[in-house]
Amino acid sequence: MTALPVDFAQLSVMVVDDNRHMRALICSILRALSIKKLKEVGDGEAALEEITAFQPDILITDWHMEPMDGTTLVKALRHSSVETTRYMPIIMLSGHSDTTRVREARDSGVNDFLTKPVSAKSLLARLITIIENPRPFIKTEHYFGPDRRRHDMGPPHDIAERRSGEAVAAEEAPAELSPEEVLAG
Amino acid sequence: MSETAAQTITPPNPLAKAIPGGGPAKIDPNVLRQAEQAVEDLQGDYPSWAQKDIDSLRAAVEDAQKDPGVLPQAIAEIYKCALDLKGQGGGFGYDLITSIGDLLTKFMEEREAVSTRDFEIICAHVDAMQAVIRQDIKGDGDKIGNQIVDGLSELVLKED
């Protein structure tokens, strides 16, 4: 079968960042990809207010925002009663690059994590990854979100409960990874 | 749910519509070029945007110095401004802003008090970012950039 170009024009994206310059950068990249259905909001609360009406295919969110930060937003979305919202692909952008923070973002339920500063190439690569490789979701007592093992980002905090689960008996990531390895995806 | 009951779910995929015919996909090379051009088109605006963030950063430092009562909020604001500058500089071609912002966020991380010496170190970072924008130093700044980063790193090391 002949490979056809990814048709970004089909997608809608919500960008959540409290810095309008950062939103301008991200939205400019997305518009250049031909994504026309875009919504910008300034924090997690505003995103929750708008998300049902806008129903984005992808959410791109900053971490450090007031009054509601990115990880709180992600957890709220993963607990949504609306199926499309609950399973929404989410990319988190952050100036934080240390392993602990990246794992915290992952454990909140993000699909992918991108360290700022963001380039067109790095954002495009993350979009392609989530478009081409949809990840199954895992539901445990303490976690609901994309399967964290897919990116080999280290053991999730509740790995013990997952070890004993039939569906998650296989691989286990190394205990410690450098930020680069964590982010390598 | 018991510990043994981890459940794997295959959710609906709203992104499949972006892959024509559902088959293998490729990236149109023009797409990346267009996206990179879009970023380049914004680079001319960045110095004025960064100046606003630097002004906010300096104002937060001055607030913290003037009024110990607002120190916790001022420290949070200094950290936030530094994180914004770190996160944006390189995206617009000003990698040295990202490097200095990185040093400052690390210096401010989990800081609850700020000594007179700490203020001097913070101000040195702010002044360095101001110099980068005023002199329009793009990229990593080559030799001057290395000197700035090394000098600031040394200041922080002396503090430790």
Side-chain angles (χ1 to χ4, degrees), chain A residues 1 75 139:
Chain A
M1 186 184 285
K75 287 173 188 168
K139 185 176 183 181

Side-chain angles (χ1 to χ4, degrees), chain B residues 41-56:
Chain B
D41 291 346
L42 287 175
Q43 281 181 0
D45 294 325
Y46 178 70
S48 63
W49 295 349
Q51 187 59 56
K52 285 178 186 164
D53 287 335
I54 291 169
D55 290 345
S56 299

Side-chain angles (χ1 to χ4, degrees), chain A residues 10-79:
Chain A
Q10 297 296 320
L11 302 176
S12 57
V13 182
M14 178 179 279
V15 178
V16 191
D17 199 306
D18 59 350
N19 188 298
R20 64 190 176 92
H21 307 143
M22 198 66 209
R23 294 200 304 269
L25 175 68
I26 300 301
C27 288
S28 291
I29 294 172
L30 297 175
R31 284 192 195 96
L33 299 178
S34 301
I35 297 174
K36 293 177 185 69
K37 200 177 170 200
L38 280 171
K39 183 85 179 175
E40 298 177 39
V41 293
D43 82 295
E45 279 188 2
L48 288 178
E49 283 169 15
E50 299 280 351
I51 207 136
T52 305
F54 186 68
Q55 279 298 309
D57 296 314
I58 301 172
L59 184 115
I60 298 176
T61 183
D62 185 28
W63 181 325
H64 208 95
M65 298 179 288
E66 294 284 347
M68 182 187 285
D69 67 19
T71 55
T72 306
L73 168 64
V74 174
K75 287 173 188 168
L77 296 176
R78 295 297 181 228
H79 285 92

